[in-house]
Amino acid sequence: MNTGKYPNAEFMFSKLKSKSKRLDNTKPTKASATGKLTLHGVTKEITVPVTLTYFKEDKNTVSKQKGNLLRVKSSFEIKLSDYKIKVPQMLFYKLNETIAINIDIVASDMGSIDGDNPCGPMACNPCGPKKSKNPCNPCGPRK
């Protein structure tokens, strides 16, 4: 996959669609996320299923991360050829052209435990919309 030249995969979220208008504490909610997936130097807009689970800060969650938490899980498949990745040919093995991608992340509205929020300690929501009250946005689109 030429990880020396393409060490990262990136999903730039742009739209979320759900039948539910709110997230209830600890209740998983199904949705779909649309965004641009960049892999192996190729960017494509895709829509993937996601499960969102909101955790209001309490004594159990604060031991792992301060703040309210949002867990995002997703599993989907992509075709390697869509991203110009050649499937290696082995003499005795046939490798699949489709691979599974599994994502499981947790975000907090309070920055990180060890204070490595790129915008300073608890300074902002680093992935939030860029507004005057939120001057930083390292997760926003690159120009």
Side-chain angles (χ1 to χ4, degrees), residues 9-128:
E10 181 180 280
F11 182 74
M12 183 65 64
F13 169 85
S14 61
K15 182 170 47 171
L16 184 68
K17 187 186 268 190
S18 173
K19 291 180 183 176
S20 178
K21 296 294 181 200
R22 58 178 277 138
L23 295 173
D24 294 319
N25 192 34
T26 72
K27 181 181 175 190
T29 300
K30 301 284 186 191
S32 63
T34 300
K36 292 183 179 181
L37 177 65
T38 301
L39 186 63
H40 203 253
V42 176
T43 301
K44 294 195 170 284
E45 185 169 275
I46 62 170
T47 299
V48 298
V50 295
T51 300
L52 307 169
T53 309
Y54 168 74
F55 297 93
K56 184 167 179 57
E57 182 181 64
D58 65 21
K59 64 181 177 172
N60 295 319
T61 62
V62 79
S63 67
K64 295 183 192 275
Q65 175 70 45
K66 291 181 181 178
N68 299 306
L69 307 177
L70 179 65
R71 182 178 190 186
V72 181
K73 291 179 72 173
S74 182
S75 294
F76 57 96
E77 293 184 342
I78 62 163
K79 282 181 65 177
L80 294 175
S81 62
D82 288 348
Y83 294 88
K84 298 183 181 175
I85 300 171
K86 293 182 182 174
V87 177
Q89 298 300 314
M90 304 284 198
L91 186 58
F92 299 106
Y93 299 104
K94 180 172 171 119
L95 300 177
N96 202 340
E97 159 72 7
T98 303
I99 62 166
I101 296 179
N102 298 298
I103 299 169
D104 190 351
I105 60 172
V106 177
S108 169
D109 61 359
M110 290 294 288
S112 68
I113 289 174
D114 56 6
D116 67 354
N117 181 336
C119 305
M122 313 307 175
C124 69
N125 175 0
C127 293

